[in-house]
Amino acid sequence: MDAADRIETIRRFNRFYTRRIGVLNEGLLDSEFSLTECRILWELAHLENGDGLTATDLGRLLDLDGGYLSRLLRDLKARDLVRATRSEVDARQSLLRLSPAGRRAFKPLDRRSQAQVAEMLGPLSEARQAELLQAMQRVQRLLGEPGDGGDVVLRPHGPGDLGWVIARHGALYAREYGFDLGFEALVARIAADFIERFDPAREACWIADRDGENLGSVCLVQAREEGSQAPIEGTAQLRLLLVEPRARGLGLGDRLVTECHRFAREAGYRRVRLWTNSQLDAAKHIYRKAGYQLVGTESFRGFGQDLVGETWELALPT
């Protein structure tokens, strides 16, 4: 296939897919909003902890011309869907957030988008769905920016992945923190509980994957009482966050935690909690940045050391 044929093949796919997902319609998802307006609403709806976003950062995120973005934002503000407030950190900057009306307008868009994808996947068998997802992830990896983490995809766990999670936790925590085999045993119990209790509507596991190489992991599960194991109403627990040393600095930890929060909101949880150790500074930096608050500490002897366990919690925006 020569260059002209390759170009035409890609253009043919672009025409097929834009028609398939309805972006050629005047309003996306049977709404009054264009594709670009929907993307703006989506980005502002998924800000962690309600933090605002500058117009410059939004334009960079969406790769939009500044003048075009300014016109779109002006219209969204006039419709009271987006509001700008002066930054408390830098008074020269304005931070964009969705208004209450904007959040109400976004919710049906989000539901329709999910329903559209579910309708597209519905006629496909499990095997064909997996094939489609793998093909999409492959395209994303090939077209992503190399070396900045964009070529790493977050995928659901599959056979063998939890075994990898156990092994890598055991090896890395022994090497970096001097933990003994008791820690690997704890991770194995957590992984076994996850598999045995797994409820895909309420729980998930993600593997950070680059061309078939596992680079990180995280799980989100239903939080439970320590003794009785009774579910704690409205509360999820973040577990087994790990990023391989060779992949650190790419923002994978932030991406994995953010994915947990997205899933938790959609599953109807009101808060997320986690348990960690006081000396895990890199992980705690991620949690603080995401808005977690330290709510409890306990001294204990474990993994061959005297340690201080910490419980952190995050209230999810409604």
Side-chain angles (χ1 to χ4, degrees):
M1 182 181 292
D2 61 20
D5 289 335
R6 293 172 187 167
I7 291 170
E8 181 53 36
T9 297
I10 291 174
R11 294 180 65 193
R12 187 184 310 118
F13 174 82
N14 290 343
R15 292 193 297 271
F16 159 76
Y17 195 63
T18 52
R19 183 178 70 250
R20 184 68 177 81
I21 63 175
V23 298
L24 299 179
N25 299 335
E26 184 174 350
L28 190 68
L29 299 168
D30 298 320
S31 75
E32 60 185 293
F33 301 105
S34 68
L35 171 62
T36 310
E37 289 172 328
C38 286
R39 280 301 311 275
I40 291 172
L41 294 177
W42 192 96
E43 295 296 344
L44 295 181
H46 288 82
L47 292 173
E48 290 296 323
N49 308 313
D51 290 343
L53 194 65
T54 66
T56 299
D57 288 339
L58 182 61
R60 187 181 301 114
L61 188 64
L62 298 178
D63 195 23
L64 290 177
D65 172 75
Y68 177 50
L69 176 60
S70 179
R71 291 191 294 274
L72 290 174
L73 289 173
R74 190 183 311 122
D75 182 62
L76 292 172
K77 290 175 186 175
R79 293 149 71 185
D80 193 31
L81 300 173
V82 172
R83 292 178 181 173
T85 57
R86 191 67 58 189
S87 170
E88 296 180 0
V89 177
D90 185 349
R92 296 170 299 177
Q93 294 187 329
S94 293
L95 298 179
L96 301 170
R97 297 181 178 88
L98 288 187
S99 67
R103 291 197 171 278
R104 289 194 298 271
F106 173 75
K107 285 182 179 179
L109 292 176
D110 202 32
R111 288 195 299 268
R112 290 173 199 163
S113 178
Q114 292 183 45
Q116 181 190 60
V117 174
E119 182 180 3
M120 182 173 64
L121 292 175
L124 303 179
S125 66
E126 286 289 331
R128 292 182 70 84
Q129 287 187 28
E131 183 180 355
L132 175 64
L133 295 176
Q134 290 169 3
M136 287 179 164
Q137 290 166 350
R138 180 66 173 164
V139 169
Q140 185 176 348
R141 285 197 296 271
L142 290 173
L143 296 182
E145 292 291 334
D148 66 352
D151 54 346
V152 180
V153 297
L154 305 186
R155 61 169 177 80
H157 70 287
D161 283 327
L162 271 298
W164 174 85
V165 169
I166 295 167
R168 295 309 294 153
H169 271 80
L172 287 177
Y173 278 73
R175 187 175 76 198
E176 298 181 355
Y177 300 103
F179 286 8
D180 65 18
L181 288 174
F183 180 71
E184 190 168 345
L186 171 65
V187 175
R189 286 193 293 271
I190 293 171
D193 287 343
F194 174 79
I195 294 171
E196 291 173 356
R197 294 171 172 165
F198 182 53
D199 176 0
R202 304 283 291 167
E203 300 178 319
C205 174
W206 294 270
I207 302 296
D209 179 307
R210 180 165 58 196
D211 290 327
E213 178 188 19
N214 292 350
L215 296 178
S217 69
V218 75
C219 292
L220 188 86
V221 302
Q222 168 68 63
R224 296 176 180 274
E225 298 288 353
E226 186 68 26
S228 67
Q229 292 296 295
I232 301 174
E233 178 66 26
T235 304
Q237 184 164 359
L238 187 152
R239 313 202 79 164
L240 304 181
L241 176 65
L242 176 82
V243 176
E244 287 282 358
R246 63 186 175 279
R248 291 170 187 169
L250 301 179
L252 294 185
D254 293 333
R255 284 179 61 189
L256 288 162
V257 169
T258 298
E259 189 67 9
C260 284
H261 298 165
R262 179 200 61 78
F263 181 91
R265 286 193 296 266
E266 292 180 359
Y269 290 111
R270 297 189 299 274
R271 69 186 65 84
V272 180
R273 69 169 42 171
L274 62 89
W275 182 86
T276 188
N277 288 294
S278 60
Q279 71 269 51
L280 304 187
D281 293 330
K284 287 166 40 175
H285 175 71
I286 294 172
Y287 303 144
R288 286 195 189 94
K289 188 163 57 171
Y292 282 84
Q293 300 292 320
L294 179 64
V295 297
T297 62
E298 56 173 342
S299 299
F300 71 102
R301 178 73 183 177
F303 322 134
Q305 300 184 28
D306 292 319
L307 300 170
V308 177
E310 297 181 349
T311 301
W312 296 67
E313 285 192 357
L314 171 72
L316 295 172
T318 57

